[in-house]
């Protein structure tokens, strides 16, 4: 990072948050600021792929909320981009923090991934096949896939469907899929509002 800064090459810092490193997260942000990083992109663990092996290391919903709020308060010093934590949209609105990211979960709406074998998935962490570019043109998959159209036009379920931030935040579709065993439109159980609702609280 110092070498990049010395020659004027922009760089960003990426960090995956787990229980193992959550207490160092803001120190990593501060180091990124000190070294002149263009941004700190923070990934909240989704237990798919190799992440299944460390599912117990996921940071729980209330801690998600604390970390997102603390990170977003650093936004004036460095660009913060939370990934797989779409609730940052709600928290940024509440704090009055401006970001250049108007939407939370992008899966299938403005973003997708193509695997090395040609399969199209809504995101790298959501193992639902929308088509294969070896069988169909990507443009047709993007415009006509039932999976992608459901994400764009379907209704979110549970508290995500009732939340006033639902359309922008959208909850983490990959985490909802993982938690329910296959329902990508379910509520995101790693949202603090969902957790409080289940405990008998109310949504803001």
């Amino acid at each position: 990072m110092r070498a990049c800064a010395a020659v004027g090459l922009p760089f960003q810092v990426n960090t995956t948050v787990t229980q193992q490193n959550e207490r160092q997260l803001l120190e990593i942000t501060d180091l990124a600021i000190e070294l002149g990083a263009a941004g700190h992109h923070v990934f909240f663990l989704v237990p798919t792929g190799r992440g299944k092996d460390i599912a117990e290391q996921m940071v729980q919903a209330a801690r998600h909320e604390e970390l997102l709020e603390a990170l977003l308060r650093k936004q004036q010093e460095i660009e913060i981009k939370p990934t797989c934590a779409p609730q940052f949209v709600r928290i940024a609105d509440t704090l009055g923090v401006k970001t250049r990211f108007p939407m939370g979960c992008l899966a299938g709406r403005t973003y997708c991934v193509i695997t090395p074998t040609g399969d199209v998935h809504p995101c790298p962490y959501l193992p639902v096949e929308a088509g294969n570019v070896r069988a169909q043109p990507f443009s047709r998959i993007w415009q006509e896939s039932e999976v992608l159209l459901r994400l764009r036009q379907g209704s979110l379920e549970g508290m995500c469907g009732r939340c006033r931030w639902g359309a922008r935040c959208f909850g983490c579709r990959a985490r909802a899929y993982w938690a329910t065993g296959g329902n990508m439109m379910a509520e995101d159980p790693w949202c603090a509002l969902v957790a409080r609702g289940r405990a008998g609280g109310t949504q803001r």
Side-chain angles (χ1 to χ4, degrees):
M1 290 188 285
R2 288 186 176 93
C4 289
V7 298
L9 180 64
F11 65 94
Q12 69 184 42
V13 176
N14 289 4
T15 306
T16 297
V17 184
T18 67
Q19 292 178 23
Q20 185 176 10
N21 68 359
E22 58 171 306
R23 290 189 178 130
Q24 288 81 45
L25 183 60
L26 294 179
E27 294 177 18
I28 297 171
T29 303
D30 289 339
L31 178 63
I33 294 169
E34 177 188 334
L35 296 180
H40 188 193
H41 289 212
V42 182
F43 293 74
F44 286 76
L45 179 66
V46 179
T48 60
R50 288 179 294 176
K52 291 178 182 177
D53 298 332
I54 55 171
E56 72 283 354
Q57 285 290 317
M58 293 174 69
V59 175
Q60 297 304 306
R63 185 61 173 148
H64 263 204
E65 193 91 353
E66 293 174 0
L67 291 173
L68 286 170
E69 182 171 335
L71 284 165
L72 287 167
R73 290 187 185 278
K74 301 273 189 181
Q75 183 72 34
Q76 290 185 336
E77 301 175 75
I78 189 172
E79 179 177 270
I80 300 293
K81 173 61 171 75
T83 299
C84 300
Q87 293 80 19
F88 84 86
V89 169
R90 166 176 55 81
I91 295 170
D93 282 358
T94 302
L95 294 175
V97 172
K98 301 293 185 184
T99 80
R100 68 180 180 91
F101 308 105
M103 192 182 298
C105 181
L106 308 178
R109 301 198 292 170
T110 63
Y111 170 83
C112 70
V113 63
I114 302 174
T115 71
T117 58
D119 291 335
V120 178
H121 293 174
C123 91
Y125 314 112
L126 184 53
V128 179
E129 186 178 332
N132 188 289
V133 295
R134 295 181 175 181
Q136 293 176 293
F138 174 73
S139 58
R140 183 175 175 187
I141 295 170
W142 181 253
Q143 294 166 10
E144 300 178 9
S145 164
E146 290 184 9
V147 169
L148 302 183
L149 289 176
R150 187 180 179 206
L151 286 165
R152 295 171 201 159
Q153 301 172 6
S155 298
L156 296 177
E157 300 175 11
M159 291 188 181
C160 284
R162 299 191 296 273
C163 180
R164 64 189 176 106
W165 282 281
R168 286 182 56 221
C169 166
F170 211 55
C172 177
R173 295 303 97 214
R175 199 171 283 115
Y177 179 92
W178 172 80
T180 60
N183 182 2
M184 66 181 183
M185 304 303 285
E187 64 187 16
D188 178 358
W190 263 259
C191 173
L193 298 188
V194 172
R196 284 202 291 269
R198 288 181 174 179
T202 56
Q203 285 186 272
R204 289 186 287 175

